Each structure stands twice: as structure tokens, then as C-alpha cells.
Amino acid sequence: MKYWFGSFMLFVMVVLSSHAANAEVGKENDPCKTRVPADQLAAAKAEKNPLEGNAAAIAAGKAIFEGKGTCFTCHGLGGHGDGDAGKVLDPSPRNFSNAKFWDCKTNGEMLWILRNGSPGTAMIPAVSTGIITEDEAKQVNAYERTFKGK
Ligand code: HEC
């Protein structure tokens, strides 16, 4: 009886700890942590997106985000980082509605990620793989800004 109880408790502990590990998946990573390598960070931060706030670019960016860019599959149609393909990822896809993210990330850092991917994450290097062009990266970046605070 004692032995049975011990095994049962062990089983409960294993189930609980695997549950705790699962809870990490889908958890948003610190939005201020940069993924751009240190030697390229200053240049990335200094880059501006000339299409920020441009209505035509935002409309084009929306079509890319929801279409050939496949961004929505991970980041979600509303940009909350909750797309179906993103649910199993750790770290989870960025939540673009988080205002804190926009307080610390620049357009230039985001464009760097679009060109090169995000080291240590599942984020795709969309430009260098030819999924989107350099201009389309700027359009989709302009669109992402519209998720802020939504
Ligand atoms: C396979 C899933 C997936 C797809 C598809 C995807 N992303 Fe991501 N994205 C991620 C993950 C995961 C991260 C990493 C979040 C982190 O750094 O914690 C990320 C990060 C980013 C970042 C950087 C955020 C930061 O904190 O530095 C940007 C910008 C971005 N994605 C935009 C896009 C755009 C635009 C597209 C479409 C062209 C796209 N993503 C497609 C999963 C994806």
C-alpha cells in the first residue's frame, strides 16, 4: 500500500512538472530583448522606415501579412502572436499589440529580423529566402505598427 502511494505521488509529480514545462510554450518573451547581434545593433537601430504611416504602404503590408508573407500563420491575423502555427513555438511569435514592444523596438531592428530571421527563434528570414522583397518588408513593417495597443 505504501509503495503504491509512493508511485502514485511520483506519477502526479511527473504530470505536474510536464504541465509546468508546457506552460512555458506560448509564453511571450521579454519584448525589449533584442535579437539583433551586438555588432549590428547600432546600425539597425539607426535605420528608419520611409514608409511608416504611409496609407498605401500599410494597405500593401496588410495584404502581405495576411497573404504571401504567411506572417498571420504564426503572429495571428490580429498580430497578437496567437496564430495556429505559432502556438507550439517557444519563444512564441511576437505579439505586435503589446505597447511595451513598440516602446523599445525600432523599425530598423524589425527590418533586420525580416531580412535575416531572428537567431534562436522560429522567425523566418523572409527577405533573404525570397518570400518577400526589400520594399515589401518595409510595407509589412508599416502595417505591423498599426497593431500597437489593439
Ligand atoms: C513560423 C512562424 C513565424 C512566421 C511565419 C513569421 N514569424 Fe515573425 N516571429 C516568429 C517568432 C517565433 C518570433 C520571435 C519572437 C521573439 O523574439 O521572442 C518572431 C519575431 C518577429 C519579429 C521581431 C520581433 C522582435 O522582438 O524582435 C518581427 C518583426 C516579425 N516576427 C515579423 C514577421 C513578419 C512580417 C512575418 C511575415 C513576413 C513573420 N514575422 C512571419 C514566428 C514567425
Side-chain angles (χ1 to χ4, degrees), residues 96-117:
F96 298 118
S97 69
N98 186 348
K100 198 171 167 229
F101 169 75
W102 295 104
D103 290 342
C104 47
K105 289 280 164 75
T106 64
N107 286 337
E109 280 172 281
M110 294 176 73
L111 290 170
W112 190 97
I113 299 288
L114 283 175
R115 292 177 190 126
N116 304 292

Side-chain angles (χ1 to χ4, degrees), residues 22 25-27 73-74 81-90 92-93:
N22 282 339
V25 173
K27 189 173 160 246
T73 58
C74 290
D82 57 356
D84 281 345
K87 289 193 174 122
V88 295
L89 299 176
D90 181 18
S92 67

Side-chain angles (χ1 to χ4, degrees), residues 29 35 69 71 74-75 91-92 94 101 105 114 123 144:
N29 216 62
R35 301 270 183 203
C71 322
C74 290
H75 292 281
S92 67
R94 182 60 67 207
F101 169 75
K105 289 280 164 75
L114 283 175
M123 174 59 199
E144 283 172 324

Side-chain angles (χ1 to χ4, degrees), residues 4-91:
W4 177 89
F5 186 68
S7 320
F8 177 69
M9 285 313 285
L10 193 68
F11 172 70
V12 168
M13 279 159 70
V14 167
V15 168
L16 284 178
S17 62
S18 65
H19 231 82
N22 282 339
E24 294 300 310
V25 173
K27 189 173 160 246
E28 189 181 16
N29 216 62
D30 176 2
C32 293
K33 185 181 173 186
T34 191
R35 301 270 183 203
V36 177
D39 62 338
Q40 295 174 57
L41 188 57
K45 276 190 180 289
E47 183 180 356
K48 303 264 179 289
N49 181 356
L51 298 181
E52 180 179 342
N54 177 309
I58 290 170
K62 182 179 196 297
I64 293 159
F65 191 89
E66 296 176 357
K68 75 168 188 173
T70 70
C71 322
F72 75 98
T73 58
C74 290
H75 292 281
L77 277 175
H80 294 267
D82 57 356
D84 281 345
K87 289 193 174 122
V88 295
L89 299 176
D90 181 18

